[in-house]
Each structure stands twice: as structure tokens, then as C-alpha cells.
Amino acid sequence: MNSILDRLEFPRDTLLGDIRPWLESCLARNYQPSTLRFQYASFRGFSSFMARERGVRRTPDVRTEDLNAFAASLVQRGLSDATQENSLQTVKNYFAWLTKTGQIFDSPARTLVVPRKARRLQRVPSIREMECVLDGIAGSKPHDDLDRALLEIAYGAGLRLSELTSLTTESVDLAGCTVRVIGKGQKERVVPITQRAARETRGYLRRGRTTLLRGRKDELSLWIGRDGFPLRSNGVRCRIQNRAMRAKVRLCPHDIRRAFATHMLQRGMSPAILKELLGHATYSHLKEYLRYAPVELQAIHRRSHPGK
């Protein structure tokens, strides 16, 4: 269970050496390995500063003024707002966990101000652009079958890259037009796909995938590369970007998920239903997609509000 943490160093007599139980609790809550490594790296900088500049090497010795000094040092070093936010939020989360678990009475980071990076609107591919990419995959070669099914499911279900990559032949119900997805925190959900996505996937399973497997019948992964082995995240990303470049559209896997969410909202889907389809635990992420459809939201407001 702790193999990820076993590859990290937790030196004694440092603040960094104290955080393993916290990271273990995050691991138990199914945090992604990349998130754990990120938290570790952020806290390592904090631990080094505390030992070097404040002479603090134990968690109980950290005071609010120490944290304020650390925050000031980030500004003095000219670090970006995003780096400052990430570093301070990691520290704040650690001390909040200590408080919640009863290991300290009050968090010295309770009043720590975390600067928030200005959130820029990210680009959302239009419906027309998505149609250009999807309709532009011609040909009958195995990789053509693969790319048509891959992009249709990506756009038809709005999946994360990790979710898309981890699909198996047992994940898809083509008769029912659904896919079973394992999302963040190992949470399972069933997401509808379009009839077109089901049709293209059926053709891929019957023709392209069979050819790509080169006679192997024991492989469950849905997406198979040219070498006959399952596609990993980088392979899926490259296939999507290559098809987009041919259609002269700028596109990455998360752009497709953003397009799915935005286009659904534009067509009148309930935010509550969309939240479930996307696999979000709260509405906090969904509000980002709501920013992309102001005209549609204004129209809904006019239809719904009782005032004149």
C-alpha cells in the first residue's frame, strides 16, 4: 500500500520527517501518486526554510510568525503566484489535518493567507471544431478504427485522460450505450455514450483491435497500440493531438472533457446531472465550466426568474 511513499525520503529531525503519517492518510483516501509527490515536494521546501532560517525542526515548534516568515520569503524570491499558492496551501492542509486528528489543539496556519492565482478562462473547442476532428478520421486501417472509437468515447462521455486510458473491453456496454468508469478516489460511475460512439467502438473491436492484437486473446485493455500492447496515457494523448493537428484544430484530452461539459450546458443540461457525469464530488469544479456559457446562463435566468 505504501510503495509510493517508500520511494520518498523522510529524514529524521526535520519537519519533512514528520509528514509521512499525513501522506499515508492521503494515500488511504486514494489520492493520486502525482498529488502525493507534489505535496511532498512542496513541503520539502518549507522544511528546508524552517530549519535554515528559523531553526525549527519539529512540528510542535512551528509558530504563526514562522509561517508568516516563510510566506514572505516566497514573495522575496520572486516566485509566481501559483507557486506561492501551492506551497502555502500544502502547509495549511498539513496543519489542518493535525488539528482534525487531535494531534495539535490549534493550527498555527489558521490565519495564514494563501494568495490565489488569477484563474484565466481556458480555451474550449467549439462544436464545429469537434466535428471537424471527428469527421476527419477517414480510412479503414486499424489505427483509423482505433482513433475514431477513442475520440468518440472521449467526447461522448467527457472522460479524464486516466479514465479513458484505463477502459477495458468489459467497461463498455455497446448495447446499452454506456461505459463503466473508475474515477478519482477509485469511485465507479456509469456514463452514457452516443450511438455513434457505440457504433465506432463496435467496428474497432471487430476489425482494428483484433488486427492490432496480432492473435492475442487474453488482453482486456480497450485501446491497443501499433505494437500490439495497451496504449498508456502518453500514447492516448499523442493519438488525440495528431488527429487534431490533421484537422487544424488545437486539442488535448482535457480540452475534449471541457468541450463535453460546456456543450452539454449550452444544450440545457442540468448542472446537477452534469456533475454526476463528470464524476465531481462537489460543484466547485463545475463552476469553471459555467463560466464558458454566459449567454446560455442568461437565457436560463430570464426563463426562470419570476421578476420582469
Side-chain angles (χ1 to χ4, degrees):
M1 178 180 178
N2 295 338
S3 59
I4 299 168
L5 302 184
D6 289 340
R7 293 193 290 269
L8 303 176
E9 295 182 356
F10 298 91
R12 294 182 179 180
D13 298 324
T14 68
L15 292 174
L16 189 61
D18 292 345
I19 69 166
R20 177 159 185 153
W22 171 54
L23 294 182
E24 287 176 345
S25 75
C26 294
L27 183 62
R29 285 177 284 160
N30 295 312
Y31 276 45
Q32 294 294 315
S34 58
T35 301
L36 294 173
R37 287 191 291 267
F38 177 82
Q39 291 179 147
Y40 174 86
S42 295
F43 204 90
R44 182 172 54 191
F46 170 68
S47 177
S48 297
F49 174 86
M50 286 291 115
R52 183 181 64 253
E53 302 294 334
R54 309 292 292 186
V56 176
R57 297 179 178 275
R58 296 176 62 254
T59 296
D61 297 333
V62 177
R63 300 290 180 262
T64 300
E65 52 266 31
D66 298 321
L67 297 176
N68 290 335
F70 174 63
S73 74
L74 299 178
V75 177
Q76 293 168 359
R77 290 165 57 192
L79 299 179
S80 68
D81 290 345
T83 301
Q84 294 181 49
E85 177 183 353
N86 293 334
S87 298
L88 296 178
Q89 191 61 57
T90 297
V91 173
K92 203 172 180 73
N93 290 345
Y94 170 61
F95 282 102
W97 175 79
L98 290 176
T99 305
K100 183 178 180 180
T101 54
Q103 299 181 57
I104 59 175
F105 178 72
D106 189 25
S107 168
R110 181 169 50 83
T111 60
L112 184 65
V113 177
V114 178
R116 299 299 178 186
K117 177 186 175 183
R119 308 295 183 188
R120 297 179 59 185
L121 280 174
Q122 295 177 293
R123 181 180 177 278
V124 177
S126 67
I127 294 176
R128 177 57 185 159
E129 286 177 318
M130 290 304 306
E131 289 175 344
C132 285
V133 176
L134 295 171
D135 294 341
I137 307 176
S140 57
K141 294 181 179 179
H143 62 267
D144 297 322
D145 291 334
L146 164 64
D147 290 348
R148 276 192 293 268
L150 179 66
L151 276 153
E152 287 289 353
I153 286 188
Y155 183 46
L159 304 183
R160 300 178 178 94
L161 176 59
S162 60
E163 296 169 347
L164 183 63
T165 304
S166 63
L167 290 178
T168 69
T169 54
E170 298 176 345
S171 302
V172 293
D173 176 5
L174 300 181
C177 289
T178 62
V179 293
R180 186 174 297 275
V181 179
I182 305 298
K184 286 188 174 181
Q186 295 299 301
K187 294 179 180 178
E188 188 176 70
R189 70 185 191 278
V190 176
V191 185
I193 59 174
T194 64
Q195 291 185 358
R196 177 171 169 174
R199 183 176 65 251
E200 296 295 351
T201 303
R202 191 176 292 110
Y204 161 66
L205 288 172
R206 186 173 61 250
R207 300 185 304 268
R209 186 175 184 275
T210 300
T211 302
L212 291 167
L213 279 173
R214 303 174 186 177
R216 292 170 51 230
K217 298 181 180 180
D218 58 345
E219 181 57 63
L220 292 179
S221 295
L222 182 58
W223 312 120
I224 304 299
R226 291 176 182 269
D227 60 359
F229 291 94
L231 280 175
R232 303 306 179 194
S233 294
N234 284 340
V236 171
R237 182 185 292 106
C238 287
R239 299 211 68 82
I240 289 174
Q241 291 177 335
N242 287 340
R243 287 296 180 178
M245 287 175 61
R246 295 187 190 185
K248 298 182 179 180
V249 175
R250 184 159 53 89
L251 195 67
C252 72
H254 203 77
D255 290 338
I256 299 177
R257 179 172 164 85
R258 196 177 299 118
F260 165 83
T262 305
H263 299 166
M264 285 295 196
L265 286 171
Q266 291 173 343
R267 296 297 178 90
M269 173 169 279
S270 161
I273 295 176
L274 182 60
K275 178 177 77 71
E276 297 302 317
L277 292 179
L278 292 171
H280 288 318
T282 69
Y283 286 96
S284 61
H285 290 88
L286 193 62
K287 67 183 180 182
E288 295 299 318
Y289 302 115
L290 292 170
R291 300 168 66 195
Y292 297 107
V295 175
E296 290 73 14
L297 290 177
Q298 289 172 3
I300 293 172
H301 182 274
R302 286 195 297 270
R303 291 196 301 269
S304 306
H305 201 285
K308 297 291 186 179

